[in-house]
């Protein structure tokens, strides 16, 4: 039913009002569509709250698989594809950066990797930015205990673990992920992962030569000292 005001409108006035309503509806639909498309973008930059840290939100993409694929490609081809990015870390889960919240969240978060019958060797790496109330030792101890409680066969390996639990705390947010090949891919450092094994060998060789020279130097000093002692005894 029309109101009294609408009934008094002439045919042309009513058509103009209908046109205005239609235009307003089209505009609103366009705004909603644009907003929805923005929310559904595959990659979207989000303010991280820390200097020199960029947070990229993904849509329909597993961040661990994406970052592992990128690093594997760079490790294989040895092609440097960025000059400004130092490290790229996937973030699969977030919670409040308070010990109780982290313990409660990780009891479920760790299950796909560490809950029996799943098992593996692991290490935990921790970094905090703009946060001073968390204790690195306490976080590592508590999270390692949770991994162990999910399956006693999960063992710590600091040299070459199957999984690395990455804990990145930014202000009051704890970012978590469980990654593979952390040691092989140089702690997920994009600048280091493209270095060839030949360069690594040269660096190790140089280091060994320096160590050997220090040993030779020390032995020479010992010989000189012994020689002086012998001379003094002869006198």
């Amino acid at each position: 039913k029309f109101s009294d005001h609408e009934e008094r409108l002439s045919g042309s006035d009513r058509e103009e009002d209908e046109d205005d309503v239609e235009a307003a509806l089209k505009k609103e639909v366009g705004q909603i569509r644009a907003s929805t498309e923005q929310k559904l973008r595959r990659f979207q930059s989000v303010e991280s709250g820390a200097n020199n840290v960029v947070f990229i939100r993904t849509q329909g993409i597993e961040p661990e698989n994406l970052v592992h694929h990128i690093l594997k490609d760079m490790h294989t081809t040895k092609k440097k594809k960025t000059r400004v990015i130092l490290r790229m870390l996937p973030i699969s889960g977030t919670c409040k950066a308070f010990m109780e919240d982290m313990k409660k969240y990780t009891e479920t978060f760790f299950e796909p990797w560490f809950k029996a019958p799943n098992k593996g060797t692991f290490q935990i790496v921790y970094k905090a930015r703009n946060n001073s109330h968390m204790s690195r030792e306490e976080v590592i101890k508590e999270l390692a205990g949770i991994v162990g409680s999910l399956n006693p066969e999960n063992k710590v390996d600091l040299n070459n673990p199957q999984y690395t639990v990455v804990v990145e705390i930014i202000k009051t947010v704890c970012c978590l992920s469980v990654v593979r090949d952390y040691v092989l891919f140089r702690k997920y450092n994009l600048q280091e992962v493209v270095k060839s094994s030949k360069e690594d060998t040269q660096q190790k060789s140089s280091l060994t030569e320096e160590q050997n020279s220090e040993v030779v130097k020390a032995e020479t000093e010992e010989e000189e000292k012994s020689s002086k002692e012998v001379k003094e005894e002869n006198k």
Side-chain angles (χ1 to χ4, degrees):
K1 294 182 179 180
F2 292 101
S3 65
D4 293 340
H5 172 70
E6 287 175 326
E7 288 177 352
R8 288 195 297 269
L9 288 175
S10 64
S12 60
D13 290 340
R14 187 174 293 139
E15 288 177 2
E16 288 178 5
D17 282 356
E18 288 175 353
D19 291 341
D20 292 341
V21 172
E22 186 178 356
L25 284 172
K26 284 184 178 179
K27 183 179 179 181
E28 187 173 353
V29 169
Q31 290 174 343
I32 293 172
R33 184 175 294 147
S35 176
T36 304
E37 287 174 355
Q38 186 177 11
K39 290 178 181 177
L40 296 178
R41 286 168 57 187
R42 293 184 71 194
F43 302 99
Q44 186 173 354
S45 178
V46 179
E47 182 61 40
S48 69
N51 292 333
N52 302 320
V53 178
V54 178
F55 193 94
I56 305 296
R57 181 163 53 201
T58 61
Q59 180 72 26
I61 297 171
E62 291 294 335
E64 293 106 329
N65 295 336
L66 173 65
V67 175
H68 189 275
H69 177 80
I70 292 171
L71 284 158
K72 184 179 180 180
D73 177 65
M74 294 179 71
H75 181 266
T76 303
T77 62
K78 298 299 179 185
K79 290 182 179 180
K80 192 173 183 179
K81 300 184 179 182
T82 175
R83 292 185 297 110
V84 296
I85 300 176
L86 181 63
R87 298 176 74 207
M88 182 179 285
L89 293 172
I91 301 299
S92 303
T94 59
C95 64
K96 292 181 179 179
F98 297 97
M99 200 65 253
E100 289 305 314
D101 294 278
M102 292 170 63
K103 286 166 65 176
K104 184 177 180 180
Y105 182 76
T106 53
E107 285 174 356
T108 304
F109 177 77
F110 287 152
E111 288 183 354
W113 299 275
F114 301 116
K115 186 176 181 180
N118 297 327
K119 62 180 180 178
T121 57
F122 72 97
Q123 68 170 342
I124 298 174
V125 295
Y126 172 93
K127 186 176 182 62
R129 296 179 176 85
N130 302 347
N131 181 295
S132 58
H133 74 270
M134 298 297 296
S135 167
R136 177 180 180 275
E137 290 74 18
E138 182 185 4
V139 170
I140 292 176
K141 180 182 177 181
E142 293 291 345
L143 296 190
I146 291 171
V147 173
S149 67
L150 291 172
N151 188 340
E153 294 188 30
N154 293 321
K155 302 296 181 183
V156 174
D157 184 350
L158 301 179
N159 296 319
N160 190 26
Q162 290 175 265
Y163 302 108
T164 296
V165 178
V166 178
V167 183
E168 291 274 332
I169 293 181
I170 303 176
K171 290 187 175 181
T172 58
V173 178
C174 174
C175 302
L176 292 160
S177 60
V178 179
V179 301
R180 295 169 290 142
D181 298 321
Y182 189 75
V183 176
L184 177 65
F185 293 159
R186 307 299 182 82
K187 300 180 180 180
Y188 278 36
N189 187 312
L190 274 66
Q191 305 301 323
E192 293 293 325
V193 77
V194 295
K195 290 184 177 180
S196 65
S197 55
K198 185 178 179 181
E199 290 177 344
D200 296 340
T201 305
Q202 289 176 347
Q203 289 177 356
K204 290 179 181 178
S205 176
S206 175
L207 180 61
T208 305
E209 288 175 3
E210 289 178 2
Q211 290 174 340
N212 289 338
S213 66
E214 290 294 329
V215 172
V216 171
K217 183 179 178 182
E219 289 177 350
T220 305
E221 289 176 351
E222 287 294 328
E223 289 175 358
E224 291 176 354
K225 184 179 178 181
S226 299
S227 176
K228 288 180 181 178
E229 289 176 353
V230 170
K231 286 181 181 178
E232 289 177 357
E233 288 177 0
N234 290 338
K235 289 180 181 178

